[in-house]
Amino acid sequence: MSVSTSTPDKGVAVVTVDFPPVNALPVQGWYDLAAAVREAGRDPGTRCVVLAAEGRGFNAGVDIKEMQRDSGHSALIGANRGCYEAFSAVYDCEVPVVAAVHGFCLGGGIGLVGNADAIVASEDATFGLPELDRGALGAATHLARLVPQHLMRALYYTSRTATAAELHAHGSVWQVVPRAELRHAALELAREIARKDGTLLRLAKAAINGIDPVDVHRSYRFEQGFTFEANLSGLADRIREDFGQGPGKEQEPGQEQDPRKEQESLKEEREEAKGRA
């Protein structure tokens, strides 16, 4: 389990997350990721950072089981602060950050890619916030940067996911490629960015962040307050007790219904509705 940094090309740093089996990060993992991104961005030789992951999917959010093992609130507070630090590190990175997303991108993964400057995704990538099924709230701030407002709300309330193709149609994903080509495509975009003047790139990043209509730091912190409220009331614990247990057993990320089959099912439902109208 690790967060590592490599420099495959001049001016390009790749920060890779590897927390098997599903990249659900423990508290320390979020802090390690934040430190790696910040360090890469501070390097004067870096002009672009690629954020990638090993394994079955890009990110499955926080380690729920770590919270379940904690009888108090230290794990929750740690996860809240760790996620805030990691999301902020991506947003505040001195140079552009390209997220290379494959498989599932859930919960905290949305916070990372929502704050990235560009997203390259594999064809099998899915994006969503299953927070209401996990006894948590948060990262709507970042999902709202990926899809229109009403779609964000519907996805949030239902815990459904959106495909890479759908996000590409909304303009939030730069490119969708076969999984085998993901790393190459992300590096190609990073190399193109890295060919620009390093000092001017840093000025551009600061300027673009400065004109953002939403303060992502304050907005996400506001959301986290409701997560803590749900925990203090005992509501979150009751929901998390069902996580991974019983006949309604939660599926591990990557075991969800194929998004294409889900879309076909929805299409059939619409056709049936038209026929009854």
Side-chain angles (χ1 to χ4, degrees):
M1 297 189 290
S2 66
V3 176
S4 59
T5 304
S6 60
T7 52
D9 293 281
K10 182 179 179 181
V12 176
V14 178
V15 175
T16 304
V17 176
D18 187 10
F19 281 81
V22 295
N23 284 323
L25 274 59
V27 170
Q28 189 57 50
W30 292 105
Y31 282 107
D32 291 345
L33 175 55
V37 172
R38 286 198 177 99
E39 183 178 357
R42 282 195 297 262
D43 185 337
T46 302
R47 298 184 179 184
C48 186
V49 172
V50 174
L51 180 57
E54 297 290 349
R56 290 160 46 189
F58 177 78
N59 190 281
V62 302
D63 185 349
I64 296 293
K65 293 178 181 178
E66 182 181 36
M67 290 189 184
Q68 290 174 326
R69 292 191 296 266
D70 181 17
S71 59
H73 297 297
S74 60
L76 171 66
I77 294 172
N80 272 9
R81 291 178 175 173
C83 284
Y84 178 84
E85 288 299 319
F87 302 169
S88 295
V90 172
Y91 186 81
D92 293 330
C93 183
E94 295 181 24
V95 297
V97 176
V98 174
V101 182
H102 71 282
F104 44 84
C105 178
L106 305 171
I110 295 295
L112 296 172
V113 302
N115 274 358
D117 295 276
I119 305 167
V120 178
S122 61
E123 293 170 336
D124 67 343
T126 55
F127 303 76
L129 288 176
E131 311 306 276
L132 294 183
D133 293 335
R134 304 292 193 268
L137 297 168
T141 295
H142 311 93
L143 184 59
R145 297 167 67 83
L146 302 176
V147 297
Q149 179 68 210
H150 286 84
L151 178 56
M152 178 276 287
R153 289 171 179 257
L155 291 174
Y156 196 92
Y157 297 146
T158 62
S159 298
R160 289 197 185 195
T161 59
T163 65
E166 289 170 331
L167 264 61
H168 182 263
H170 289 298
S172 52
V173 167
W174 172 263
Q175 186 179 13
V176 180
V177 297
R179 183 184 282 212
E181 299 174 16
L182 178 61
R183 186 63 64 98
H184 173 75
L187 285 174
E188 277 296 301
L189 177 57
R191 291 187 192 106
E192 183 175 350
I193 293 171
R195 284 196 285 269
K196 307 300 182 184
D197 180 84
T199 301
L200 198 57
L201 273 174
R202 283 170 163 76
L203 290 174
K205 177 69 181 275
I208 292 174
N209 280 4
I211 63 171
D212 248 340
V214 174
D215 183 336
V216 295
H217 304 304
R218 184 171 60 84
S219 179
Y220 179 55
R221 267 315 213 182
F222 180 81
E223 289 186 77
Q224 286 186 317
F226 290 94
T227 295
F228 202 66
E229 181 177 326
N231 276 270
L232 288 178
S233 68
L235 173 61
D237 287 335
R238 292 197 296 274
I239 294 174
R240 280 198 293 266
E241 282 174 3
D242 296 331
F243 179 74
Q245 299 178 14
K249 181 178 179 181
E250 292 283 353
Q251 294 175 315
E252 271 196 347
Q255 295 179 332
E256 298 90 346
Q257 180 179 353
D258 185 327
R260 289 168 295 185
K261 292 181 180 178
E262 186 175 350
Q263 292 301 314
E264 291 172 3
S265 177
L266 289 172
K267 184 177 180 181
E268 290 174 1
E269 290 177 6
R270 294 192 195 102
E271 293 299 323
E272 290 179 5
K274 288 180 181 178
R276 292 193 295 268

